[in-house]
Amino acid sequence: MENQSNFIKTIIENDLHSGKHTEIVTRFPPEPNGFLHIGHARAIITDFELAKIFGGYTNLRYDDTNPEKEDDVYVRAIAQDIRWLGYEPKNIFFASDYFDEMYHRAMILIKKGLAYVDFQSAEIISSSRGDVTTPGVNSPYRETTIDENLAWFEKMKNGGFKEGECVLRAKIDMASPNMNMRDPVIYRIVYAEHHRQGKKWVIYPMYDFAHPLEDAIEGVTHSLCSLEFEDHRPLYDWFVKETEMPKQPRQIEFGRLNIENTVLSKRFLRALVEEGKVKGWDDPRMPTLSGMRRRGYTPEAIRSFILSTGLSKINSTVGVDMLESAVRNDLSDKAKRVMAVIDPLKVTITNYPEGQGEYFEEDFHKDHPEYGSRKIPFSRNIYIEKEDFALEKPNKKFKRLYLGGEVRLFYAYFIQAIDVKYNDQGDIIEVLATYDPKTRSGSGFDERKPNGTIHFVEATQGVPAQFNIYKPMLNEDESLDLMDRFNKDSLSIKHGFVEQAISKTKVQDKYQFMRMGYYATDDDSTANHLVFNETVPLKTSYK
Ligand code: ATP
Ligand code: MG
């Protein structure tokens, strides 16, 4: 972001130049009611990067003003995901810690004749608000005296009313062209246990009232949020001013990030988790940061993807391919390159001496010798990918093994398929082949050209492994109900082999399985049962 210009950066620059601010303070304000998704990454990166560029700082503030849906599990997960992305908040705050101050500020409004307790039902309040063409109707409680309102509000706070019996409303303008200004509700009664405050409170501030006060209390200078809050800005400013907050933050909106065929809504993602459609919030199919981490996406890839989408005043929708290519770009240099056979077919090299074997020493990455090297075993028994063999060459593009044809094995020899074995069901279960000892590591090329180069894993030393292969979590048919769009084929599990060299792989280690794709070791992988998640297929897939 340092080298990019954007409209928020310009505003901040001007505010520093004019002396309006000497230090920039931003905040990321998630509601702890779910895990963070890739849309939140735009907000996080914008908040943290902008403050950083100008030598300021960013707070993480949990917007925990709604006691019913919030949970400490989410509190922990959110902090962890932000750190994983590479950011350290200067302070971690909870909006609920400001409840006393907010209560006090609401009293200021009442005392100024700018708030009143309304006993109308929620339905009446909503229907008497009017619409864009019709002004709202004043509540019969709008002109109640200040003393009465102070007494009622106190009674609300002390549990003297039932849930829904009354609310506190700001007294602004029932005819305002901005619907948000038509006497919005600022406090409601909720008898629920709050994750931090317990049962201390039975009145809870509404978002529109709470948020500007939270920002002002913390001395946030630029309160960055997504576009849907644009119409709320006049109300934001009204609350800061009328509650007489000493510091005035400025709200600036930016466009939301959407990704094609991906639903970025905590409510929907939570439903998938609760209905057991996915394994959890960190299921590698989920567009959550924890899901992406588990799948093998790197924070660097996510950051460069977000920055490449730019920042503007309009919502943007980008294709998944943009995110995937950022992941590939990052992993291309970082991931060790090894061989894995995901769907194995046995090959016996009949002219290779039985009981013997050899090793080829090869670098883990052709451009990065510093990643070290490993020994690749070779013998009479190997596995190749099932789809790398056909009885007959189906077309010219088929650069793999077929009966009578010859291919090169990466790092090893040319082999020619001479026969196959079938099981009782008529499936091919083994290929018999011969090798040419003169062709070690491609040296036979001047003599003849093999029909492509394929990967393999030596059978006696290859390590069994599970591979989780992913397809999009949602079907593209947008006419369906969200839940019905869940793609039941989004996970397929394969059992194959990896090179012995990575048998001690650790959770989150990343590899390029040659010709197959990028993979990451799953969180549940153990030494006795290796599990790899497909992060992203290779761009130039041979398939
Ligand atoms: P969801 O709709 O998924 O529940 P939310 O906006 O309600 O998301 P919050 O916890 O309130 O979730 O979000 C914290 C911050 O992240 C807000 O400032 C919000 O504007 C921002 N944010 C959420 N989704 C996106 C998105 N897709 N693009 C950009 N910013 C986003
Ligand atoms: Mg929200």
Side-chain angles (χ1 to χ4, degrees), residues 11 46 55 64 99 152 168 211 242 265 430 464 474 506 517:
I11 293 174
T46 304
D64 57 346
F99 280 169
W152 280 339
L168 184 71
H211 202 80
E242 298 299 349
S265 142
E430 187 178 341
L474 297 184
K506 292 187 305 300

Side-chain angles (χ1 to χ4, degrees), residues 316-333:
S316 56
T317 301
V318 301
V320 190
D321 48 330
M322 219 172 129
L323 175 56
E324 291 188 341
S325 79
V327 174
R328 269 188 218 103
N329 280 345
D330 191 49
L331 290 179
S332 163
D333 270 315

Side-chain angles (χ1 to χ4, degrees), residues 64 120 145 238 252 263 349 357 365 487:
D64 57 346
Q120 298 181 106
T145 63
W238 190 90
I252 307 169
V263 177
I349 300 164
H365 196 300
N487 177 7

